[in-house]
Every structure is written in structure tokens, then in C-alpha cells.
Amino acid sequence: MRGRGEARGERAGRLWPQLVPYVLRSARTTPLLVTGAVGWLLVSVPAAVPSGLRLSEAVLLIRAGAVLLAVGAAFVLDDAAAATTEVTPVPRWLPRTLRAGVAVVSVGLGWAGVLTGGARAVGPDERGLLPWGGLTLEAAGLLALVLALAALGLRRTAGSGGGALATSGVLLAVVLTALAPLPEWSQPFAPPLSRGWDPSRGVWTALLGAAALTVVALFGEPVGRRGLRLRLNPRPHPRPRRPDGRRRGPR
């Protein structure tokens, strides 16, 4: 006899193809497209300067592009129809996981353009010193933080207002960490080639892992709502048997 978890997994597997077109149509990707275009222009315009930028200046622009991409991705998880689909038998984590996938893929494509444009903006003498991997880790950490804040906002706004909380939260976090007098080993936005660069990669790795675990936890159904779904979809009870062993039918 199959367990309840196996049955739920099989049902979710059947729902994936049906949900993908709906998620692609309803996902709020316009803010992400706008911020991605602004971020690409931010690093591409200086690339036209013949002398190029210094490494520190180009890294600053690339980081600004990463923040813009993260802010745009904050709205992808919002679902305008969340109030009307609250009691559907579809597990809530399924469409949210699909929306998160849309955000990850879109930000990945946008980040490739921002990082490539930023590399062209660096002067030829320092272009080889650009830390591609370290900056990509920062972009991934920012995206994971935004998705975690957006998932928290969805819990507090019935599934339709996570983007506003995530946007304000990530911008506040970036400003505070950039201006706060933190020790050199704990500065997330440490300058490349500085003594704080390698320790800051550990900070971003820890942030990425913690935010990813938070997203997984918040995508699940709350206990109360899980019970509601179970009550809305009760198991049929077998009809009682008569003394001769046959089941009693409706009167």
C-alpha cells in the first residue's frame, strides 16, 4: 500500500505540466526586466570609454547591477490570484517553486550580461584581476536573500505582497552593511585584492546557505492551512456492511 507522501509526490508530478503555462503567464517579470536592463546599461555605457575604469570602480557598478537584479526578482513570487486559490488542492509550494525557478533563470541570464559588460568596462591592465566567481557568489547571495524575504512577505500578506517586503528589506540590508563600521573580516562588500576579500566570501557562503534553507522552509504549507486542505479533501469512508456481508447503499 502506498504511503500518503508517495501519493502527494505523484500528484505533484502530474500537476507540473499544467502549472508551468499559468506560472509563466502570471509571474511578475516586468520589474525584473526593467531592473535588468538598467543594470546592463549601468555597466555597458562605461565600457565605451577607451581608457576603461579602474577595477574598484567597475566592481562597484557590477555590484549595483546585482542589487538591481535582486530587487527586480523580489516581485516574481507574488501571485495576484493567491486569495482565490487558497483552498485549492494544489500544494502551495508547487507554484512558488516554479516562480522561484523563473526568477533564478532570469536573474542568471541578466547577471551574465551585467558581469560581461562590467568586465569590458575594466581597463586592460586590470581586466584579468576581476573576481568573476566572487562577484557571482555575491549575486547569488543577494538573490537568495530576496527570495527568503519575499517568501516571508507571502506568509504575511496572503501570498500577494512579498515583493514590497523583500525590496525594502534587501535595500536596507545593503545600505546598512555598506555604511556600518564592520571589522575587515566581516565586510560583505570588501574591495577585491584586499585582506578582507577572502573572509567576506565565507560571509556570503553562509548567507546563501541560510537564505536557501529559509526559502525551503517558508515555501511549505503552514500547519493550520495544511489541516484545512486535509479537511477540504477528506478520505471517503466505506459504507457500512449489512449482517449478510453486503454493503449498504444509499436510501
Side-chain angles (χ1 to χ4, degrees):
M1 184 175 179
R2 295 184 305 173
R4 184 181 300 176
E6 183 180 351
R8 285 199 301 264
E10 182 177 331
R11 183 180 63 180
R14 294 196 302 267
L15 292 173
W16 277 89
Q18 303 174 26
L19 284 175
V20 169
Y22 163 73
V23 169
L24 292 178
R25 289 194 308 267
S26 61
R28 294 184 61 187
T29 56
T30 301
L32 180 55
L33 293 175
V34 172
T35 57
V38 174
W40 182 79
L41 289 174
L42 193 65
V43 298
S44 298
V45 171
V49 179
S51 59
L53 301 176
R54 293 188 302 175
L55 178 64
S56 59
E57 297 170 343
V59 167
L60 180 61
L61 294 179
I62 292 172
R63 283 170 168 167
V67 173
L68 287 171
L69 286 171
V71 168
F75 298 91
V76 177
L77 296 185
D78 289 351
D79 185 4
T84 60
T85 60
E86 188 173 358
V87 295
T88 59
V90 178
R92 189 58 55 86
W93 62 265
L94 189 53
R96 289 180 180 175
T97 301
L98 289 173
R99 284 188 170 85
V102 172
V104 171
V105 173
S106 302
V107 170
L109 295 175
W111 174 246
V114 169
L115 190 57
T116 303
R120 291 199 302 265
V122 183
D125 296 337
E126 296 182 306
R127 188 169 299 166
L129 301 177
L130 183 69
W132 292 63
L135 293 174
T136 301
L137 177 61
E138 292 182 12
L142 286 171
L143 176 60
L145 176 61
V146 161
L147 293 180
L149 292 174
L152 177 61
L154 295 179
R155 285 286 184 95
R156 301 180 63 88
T157 60
S160 60
L165 176 64
T167 299
S168 57
V170 72
L171 290 177
L172 180 62
V174 168
V175 171
L176 289 180
T177 54
L179 299 180
L182 298 174
E184 190 176 22
W185 61 269
S186 63
Q187 293 179 2
F189 299 106
L193 308 179
S194 66
R195 290 186 302 175
W197 175 259
D198 290 337
S200 68
R201 302 310 92 186
V203 174
W204 282 107
T205 301
L207 174 63
L208 176 60
L213 292 176
T214 302
V215 170
V216 173
L218 291 176
F219 272 11
E221 293 285 351
V223 176
R225 187 166 297 165
R226 190 182 301 122
L228 174 63
R229 290 185 185 275
L230 292 176
R231 290 195 298 272
L232 290 172
N233 299 275
R235 290 186 175 183
H237 295 285
R239 291 179 295 175
R241 294 181 179 273
R242 296 190 300 186
D244 57 1
R246 291 183 297 176
R247 293 185 183 275
R248 294 180 180 177
R251 299 190 174 208

